[in-house]
mmCIF file of all heavy atoms in Angstrom:
data_model
loop_
_atom_site.group_PDB
_atom_site.id
_atom_site.type_symbol
_atom_site.label_atom_id
_atom_site.label_comp_id
_atom_site.label_asym_id
_atom_site.label_seq_id
_atom_site.Cartn_x
_atom_site.Cartn_y
_atom_site.Cartn_z
ATOM 1 N N LYS A 1 -111.126 70.564 -89.453
ATOM 2 C CA LYS A 1 -110.474 71.556 -88.500
ATOM 3 C C LYS A 1 -110.344 72.829 -89.296
ATOM 4 O O LYS A 1 -110.342 72.804 -90.539
ATOM 5 C CB LYS A 1 -109.142 71.087 -88.090
ATOM 6 C CG LYS A 1 -109.135 69.855 -87.171
ATOM 7 C CD LYS A 1 -107.684 69.345 -86.918
ATOM 8 C CE LYS A 1 -107.734 68.128 -86.208
ATOM 9 N NZ LYS A 1 -106.418 67.551 -85.994
ATOM 10 N N GLU A 2 -110.223 73.906 -88.632
ATOM 11 C CA GLU A 2 -110.068 75.214 -89.245
ATOM 12 C C GLU A 2 -108.877 75.309 -90.224
ATOM 13 O O GLU A 2 -108.973 75.810 -91.376
ATOM 14 C CB GLU A 2 -109.860 76.314 -88.178
ATOM 15 C CG GLU A 2 -109.816 77.692 -88.685
ATOM 16 C CD GLU A 2 -111.201 78.240 -89.182
ATOM 17 O OE1 GLU A 2 -112.228 77.734 -88.875
ATOM 18 O OE2 GLU A 2 -111.252 79.218 -89.937
ATOM 19 N N GLU A 3 -107.742 74.633 -89.868
ATOM 20 C CA GLU A 3 -106.550 74.604 -90.732
ATOM 21 C C GLU A 3 -106.861 73.898 -92.024
ATOM 22 O O GLU A 3 -106.437 74.281 -93.084
ATOM 23 C CB GLU A 3 -105.406 74.017 -90.037
ATOM 24 C CG GLU A 3 -104.923 74.711 -88.790
ATOM 25 C CD GLU A 3 -105.711 74.368 -87.574
ATOM 26 O OE1 GLU A 3 -106.439 73.341 -87.496
ATOM 27 O OE2 GLU A 3 -105.756 75.217 -86.601
ATOM 28 N N GLU A 4 -107.627 72.837 -91.930
ATOM 29 C CA GLU A 4 -107.947 72.017 -93.090
ATOM 30 C C GLU A 4 -108.926 72.744 -94.036
ATOM 31 O O GLU A 4 -108.715 72.743 -95.261
ATOM 32 C CB GLU A 4 -108.705 70.726 -92.662
ATOM 33 C CG GLU A 4 -107.869 69.777 -91.912
ATOM 34 C CD GLU A 4 -108.591 68.562 -91.346
ATOM 35 O OE1 GLU A 4 -109.623 68.805 -90.733
ATOM 36 O OE2 GLU A 4 -108.051 67.452 -91.467
ATOM 37 N N ARG A 5 -109.835 73.482 -93.427
ATOM 38 C CA ARG A 5 -110.743 74.313 -94.155
ATOM 39 C C ARG A 5 -109.973 75.353 -94.959
ATOM 40 O O ARG A 5 -110.317 75.675 -96.156
ATOM 41 C CB ARG A 5 -111.861 74.887 -93.310
ATOM 42 C CG ARG A 5 -112.738 73.792 -92.621
ATOM 43 C CD ARG A 5 -113.744 74.381 -91.662
ATOM 44 N NE ARG A 5 -114.630 75.465 -92.309
ATOM 45 C CZ ARG A 5 -114.880 76.654 -91.729
ATOM 46 N NH1 ARG A 5 -114.417 77.026 -90.541
ATOM 47 N NH2 ARG A 5 -115.643 77.463 -92.399
ATOM 48 N N GLU A 6 -109.078 76.061 -94.259
ATOM 49 C CA GLU A 6 -108.330 77.064 -94.887
ATOM 50 C C GLU A 6 -107.461 76.561 -96.042
ATOM 51 O O GLU A 6 -107.396 77.208 -97.107
ATOM 52 C CB GLU A 6 -107.424 77.737 -93.836
ATOM 53 C CG GLU A 6 -106.634 78.910 -94.415
ATOM 54 C CD GLU A 6 -105.788 79.692 -93.327
ATOM 55 O OE1 GLU A 6 -106.026 79.477 -92.157
ATOM 56 O OE2 GLU A 6 -104.970 80.502 -93.779
ATOM 57 N N GLU A 7 -106.761 75.404 -95.868
ATOM 58 C CA GLU A 7 -105.967 74.842 -96.992
ATOM 59 C C GLU A 7 -106.790 74.499 -98.106
ATOM 60 O O GLU A 7 -106.434 74.691 -99.285
ATOM 61 C CB GLU A 7 -105.251 73.622 -96.426
ATOM 62 C CG GLU A 7 -104.062 73.996 -95.482
ATOM 63 C CD GLU A 7 -103.019 75.000 -96.094
ATOM 64 O OE1 GLU A 7 -102.672 74.834 -97.299
ATOM 65 O OE2 GLU A 7 -102.802 76.023 -95.456
ATOM 66 N N LEU A 8 -107.935 73.960 -97.892
ATOM 67 C CA LEU A 8 -108.917 73.717 -98.994
ATOM 68 C C LEU A 8 -109.301 74.898 -99.737
ATOM 69 O O LEU A 8 -109.351 74.910 -100.996
ATOM 70 C CB LEU A 8 -110.158 72.874 -98.510
ATOM 71 C CG LEU A 8 -109.911 71.403 -98.100
ATOM 72 C CD1 LEU A 8 -111.096 70.823 -97.364
ATOM 73 C CD2 LEU A 8 -109.577 70.489 -99.267
ATOM 74 N N ALA A 9 -109.689 75.923 -98.940
ATOM 75 C CA ALA A 9 -110.040 77.197 -99.587
ATOM 76 C C ALA A 9 -108.911 77.845 -100.537
ATOM 77 O O ALA A 9 -109.195 78.264 -101.517
ATOM 78 C CB ALA A 9 -110.484 78.193 -98.531
ATOM 79 N N LYS A 10 -107.768 77.713 -99.982
ATOM 80 C CA LYS A 10 -106.596 78.269 -100.708
ATOM 81 C C LYS A 10 -106.400 77.536 -102.014
ATOM 82 O O LYS A 10 -106.126 78.129 -103.091
ATOM 83 C CB LYS A 10 -105.346 78.212 -99.858
ATOM 84 C CG LYS A 10 -105.329 79.151 -98.677
ATOM 85 C CD LYS A 10 -104.111 78.738 -97.841
ATOM 86 C CE LYS A 10 -103.511 79.849 -96.979
ATOM 87 N NZ LYS A 10 -102.335 79.345 -96.166
ATOM 88 N N GLU A 11 -106.515 76.205 -101.892
ATOM 89 C CA GLU A 11 -106.311 75.429 -103.150
ATOM 90 C C GLU A 11 -107.396 75.710 -104.159
ATOM 91 O O GLU A 11 -107.148 75.835 -105.416
ATOM 92 C CB GLU A 11 -106.422 73.871 -102.809
ATOM 93 C CG GLU A 11 -105.241 73.375 -102.046
ATOM 94 C CD GLU A 11 -105.529 71.962 -101.604
ATOM 95 O OE1 GLU A 11 -106.413 71.268 -102.051
ATOM 96 O OE2 GLU A 11 -104.817 71.523 -100.630
ATOM 97 N N GLU A 12 -108.677 75.922 -103.701
ATOM 98 C CA GLU A 12 -109.794 76.329 -104.585
ATOM 99 C C GLU A 12 -109.497 77.714 -105.197
ATOM 100 O O GLU A 12 -109.820 77.832 -106.331
ATOM 101 C CB GLU A 12 -111.115 76.191 -103.806
ATOM 102 C CG GLU A 12 -111.518 74.832 -103.505
ATOM 103 C CD GLU A 12 -111.840 73.970 -104.813
ATOM 104 O OE1 GLU A 12 -112.452 74.546 -105.751
ATOM 105 O OE2 GLU A 12 -111.336 72.770 -104.828
ATOM 106 N N LEU A 13 -109.104 78.606 -104.429
ATOM 107 C CA LEU A 13 -108.870 79.936 -104.905
ATOM 108 C C LEU A 13 -107.802 79.924 -106.020
ATOM 109 O O LEU A 13 -107.959 80.593 -107.047
ATOM 110 C CB LEU A 13 -108.576 80.944 -103.779
ATOM 111 C CG LEU A 13 -108.324 82.420 -104.213
ATOM 112 C CD1 LEU A 13 -109.444 82.988 -104.975
ATOM 113 C CD2 LEU A 13 -107.882 83.275 -103.036
ATOM 114 N N LEU A 14 -106.695 79.292 -105.748
ATOM 115 C CA LEU A 14 -105.620 79.182 -106.709
ATOM 116 C C LEU A 14 -106.005 78.514 -107.945
ATOM 117 O O LEU A 14 -105.467 78.801 -109.072
ATOM 118 C CB LEU A 14 -104.405 78.496 -106.128
ATOM 119 C CG LEU A 14 -103.661 79.307 -105.080
ATOM 120 C CD1 LEU A 14 -102.573 78.433 -104.460
ATOM 121 C CD2 LEU A 14 -103.087 80.519 -105.667
ATOM 122 N N SER A 15 -107.038 77.621 -107.843
ATOM 123 C CA SER A 15 -107.527 76.911 -109.162
ATOM 124 C C SER A 15 -108.727 77.675 -109.688
ATOM 125 O O SER A 15 -109.080 77.226 -110.846
ATOM 126 C CB SER A 15 -108.000 75.476 -108.682
ATOM 127 O OG SER A 15 -106.908 74.788 -108.069
ATOM 128 N N ASP A 16 -109.169 78.633 -109.191
ATOM 129 C CA ASP A 16 -110.360 79.285 -109.725
ATOM 130 C C ASP A 16 -110.211 79.988 -111.063
ATOM 131 O O ASP A 16 -109.196 80.620 -111.282
ATOM 132 C CB ASP A 16 -110.873 80.417 -108.638
ATOM 133 C CG ASP A 16 -111.978 81.197 -109.177
ATOM 134 O OD1 ASP A 16 -113.139 80.568 -109.269
ATOM 135 O OD2 ASP A 16 -111.834 82.352 -109.581
ATOM 136 N N ASN A 17 -111.197 79.882 -111.872
ATOM 137 C CA ASN A 17 -111.177 80.529 -113.223
ATOM 138 C C ASN A 17 -112.420 81.349 -113.454
ATOM 139 O O ASN A 17 -112.646 81.776 -114.542
ATOM 140 C CB ASN A 17 -111.054 79.453 -114.333
ATOM 141 C CG ASN A 17 -109.727 78.860 -114.383
ATOM 142 O OD1 ASN A 17 -108.674 79.567 -114.378
ATOM 143 N ND2 ASN A 17 -109.579 77.533 -114.516
ATOM 144 N N SER A 18 -113.153 81.571 -112.329
ATOM 145 C CA SER A 18 -114.400 82.180 -112.504
ATOM 146 C C SER A 18 -114.328 83.771 -112.125
ATOM 147 O O SER A 18 -115.290 84.455 -112.207
ATOM 148 C CB SER A 18 -115.479 81.629 -111.633
ATOM 149 O OG SER A 18 -115.238 81.806 -110.279
ATOM 150 N N GLY A 19 -113.100 84.249 -111.793
ATOM 151 C CA GLY A 19 -112.924 85.685 -111.483
ATOM 152 C C GLY A 19 -112.496 85.915 -110.104
ATOM 153 O O GLY A 19 -111.958 87.049 -109.784
ATOM 154 N N TRP A 20 -112.702 84.993 -109.193
ATOM 155 C CA TRP A 20 -112.366 85.236 -107.798
ATOM 156 C C TRP A 20 -110.877 85.424 -107.541
ATOM 157 O O TRP A 20 -110.371 86.332 -106.819
ATOM 158 C CB TRP A 20 -112.815 84.115 -106.935
ATOM 159 C CG TRP A 20 -114.357 84.181 -106.661
ATOM 160 C CD1 TRP A 20 -115.281 83.551 -107.455
ATOM 161 C CD2 TRP A 20 -114.993 84.934 -105.641
ATOM 162 N NE1 TRP A 20 -116.561 83.946 -106.912
ATOM 163 C CE2 TRP A 20 -116.350 84.735 -105.845
ATOM 164 C CE3 TRP A 20 -114.616 85.699 -104.559
ATOM 165 C CZ2 TRP A 20 -117.299 85.300 -105.059
ATOM 166 C CZ3 TRP A 20 -115.534 86.324 -103.801
ATOM 167 C CH2 TRP A 20 -116.873 86.115 -104.023
ATOM 168 N N PHE A 21 -110.037 84.572 -108.289
ATOM 169 C CA PHE A 21 -108.583 84.761 -108.135
ATOM 170 C C PHE A 21 -108.111 86.016 -108.729
ATOM 171 O O PHE A 21 -107.246 86.839 -108.221
ATOM 172 C CB PHE A 21 -107.830 83.597 -108.810
ATOM 173 C CG PHE A 21 -106.408 83.807 -108.642
ATOM 174 C CD1 PHE A 21 -105.744 83.445 -107.392
ATOM 175 C CD2 PHE A 21 -105.488 84.149 -109.712
ATOM 176 C CE1 PHE A 21 -104.409 83.614 -107.273
ATOM 177 C CE2 PHE A 21 -104.163 84.246 -109.579
ATOM 178 C CZ PHE A 21 -103.577 84.022 -108.332
ATOM 179 N N SER A 22 -108.724 86.424 -109.917
ATOM 180 C CA SER A 22 -108.367 87.766 -110.508
ATOM 181 C C SER A 22 -108.702 88.844 -109.542
ATOM 182 O O SER A 22 -107.870 89.789 -109.434
ATOM 183 C CB SER A 22 -109.168 87.807 -111.820
ATOM 184 O OG SER A 22 -108.853 89.103 -112.403
ATOM 185 N N GLU A 23 -109.865 88.798 -108.921
ATOM 186 C CA GLU A 23 -110.183 89.826 -107.976
ATOM 187 C C GLU A 23 -109.106 89.808 -106.788
ATOM 188 O O GLU A 23 -108.804 90.899 -106.322
ATOM 189 C CB GLU A 23 -111.603 89.609 -107.451
ATOM 190 C CG GLU A 23 -112.639 89.870 -108.421
ATOM 191 C CD GLU A 23 -112.736 91.375 -108.858
ATOM 192 O OE1 GLU A 23 -112.603 92.205 -107.949
ATOM 193 O OE2 GLU A 23 -113.033 91.621 -110.007
ATOM 194 N N PHE A 24 -108.780 88.706 -106.360
ATOM 195 C CA PHE A 24 -107.801 88.631 -105.308
ATOM 196 C C PHE A 24 -106.501 89.385 -105.613
ATOM 197 O O PHE A 24 -105.978 90.129 -104.840
ATOM 198 C CB PHE A 24 -107.515 87.116 -104.864
ATOM 199 C CG PHE A 24 -106.306 86.955 -103.908
ATOM 200 C CD1 PHE A 24 -106.543 87.260 -102.525
ATOM 201 C CD2 PHE A 24 -105.180 86.504 -104.358
ATOM 202 C CE1 PHE A 24 -105.471 87.047 -101.678
ATOM 203 C CE2 PHE A 24 -104.119 86.329 -103.443
ATOM 204 C CZ PHE A 24 -104.298 86.615 -102.078
ATOM 205 N N VAL A 25 -105.906 89.127 -106.777
ATOM 206 C CA VAL A 25 -104.649 89.720 -107.210
ATOM 207 C C VAL A 25 -104.822 91.181 -107.561
ATOM 208 O O VAL A 25 -103.851 91.843 -107.610
ATOM 209 C CB VAL A 25 -103.919 88.944 -108.354
ATOM 210 C CG1 VAL A 25 -103.579 87.657 -107.895
ATOM 211 C CG2 VAL A 25 -104.744 88.957 -109.623
ATOM 212 N N HIS A 26 -106.032 91.578 -107.760
ATOM 213 C CA HIS A 26 -106.317 93.028 -108.019
ATOM 214 C C HIS A 26 -106.842 93.779 -106.819
ATOM 215 O O HIS A 26 -107.242 94.901 -106.965
ATOM 216 C CB HIS A 26 -107.192 93.263 -109.212
ATOM 217 C CG HIS A 26 -106.469 92.791 -110.573
ATOM 218 N ND1 HIS A 26 -106.568 91.547 -111.062
ATOM 219 C CD2 HIS A 26 -105.551 93.429 -111.252
ATOM 220 C CE1 HIS A 26 -105.912 91.469 -112.134
ATOM 221 N NE2 HIS A 26 -105.263 92.550 -112.322
ATOM 222 N N ASP A 27 -107.039 93.131 -105.660
ATOM 223 C CA ASP A 27 -107.527 93.703 -104.492
ATOM 224 C C ASP A 27 -106.548 94.759 -103.983
ATOM 225 O O ASP A 27 -105.282 94.693 -104.303
ATOM 226 C CB ASP A 27 -107.667 92.638 -103.416
ATOM 227 C CG ASP A 27 -108.326 93.215 -102.144
ATOM 228 O OD1 ASP A 27 -109.523 93.543 -102.238
ATOM 229 O OD2 ASP A 27 -107.705 93.401 -101.176
ATOM 230 N N ASP A 28 -106.973 95.775 -103.401
ATOM 231 C CA ASP A 28 -106.182 96.913 -102.885
ATOM 232 C C ASP A 28 -104.934 96.437 -102.082
ATOM 233 O O ASP A 28 -103.908 97.041 -102.077
ATOM 234 C CB ASP A 28 -106.972 97.877 -102.042
ATOM 235 C CG ASP A 28 -107.978 98.740 -102.903
ATOM 236 O OD1 ASP A 28 -107.766 98.760 -104.191
ATOM 237 O OD2 ASP A 28 -108.904 99.289 -102.348
ATOM 238 N N ALA A 29 -105.143 95.364 -101.328
ATOM 239 C CA ALA A 29 -104.065 94.819 -100.452
ATOM 240 C C ALA A 29 -102.847 94.456 -101.146
ATOM 241 O O ALA A 29 -101.695 94.508 -100.598
ATOM 242 C CB ALA A 29 -104.602 93.702 -99.605
#
């Protein structure tokens, strides 16, 4: 389901060490 996909994606982003999380926290938003 969409909600399951979103939760998995959030977990992966929070665990990421390849630069994606760093980009997220430095995003203009």
Side-chain angles (χ1 to χ4, degrees):
K1 295 177 185 171
E2 185 71 18
E3 298 84 23
E4 294 170 315
R5 295 173 60 224
E6 182 175 349
E7 286 307 309
L8 289 170
K10 289 170 157 183
E11 290 172 17
E12 288 296 317
L13 179 58
L14 288 174
S15 299
D16 174 69
N17 288 312
S18 67
W20 285 91
F21 182 75
S22 179
E23 289 293 322
F24 172 75
V25 298
H26 291 96
D27 187 69
D28 290 343

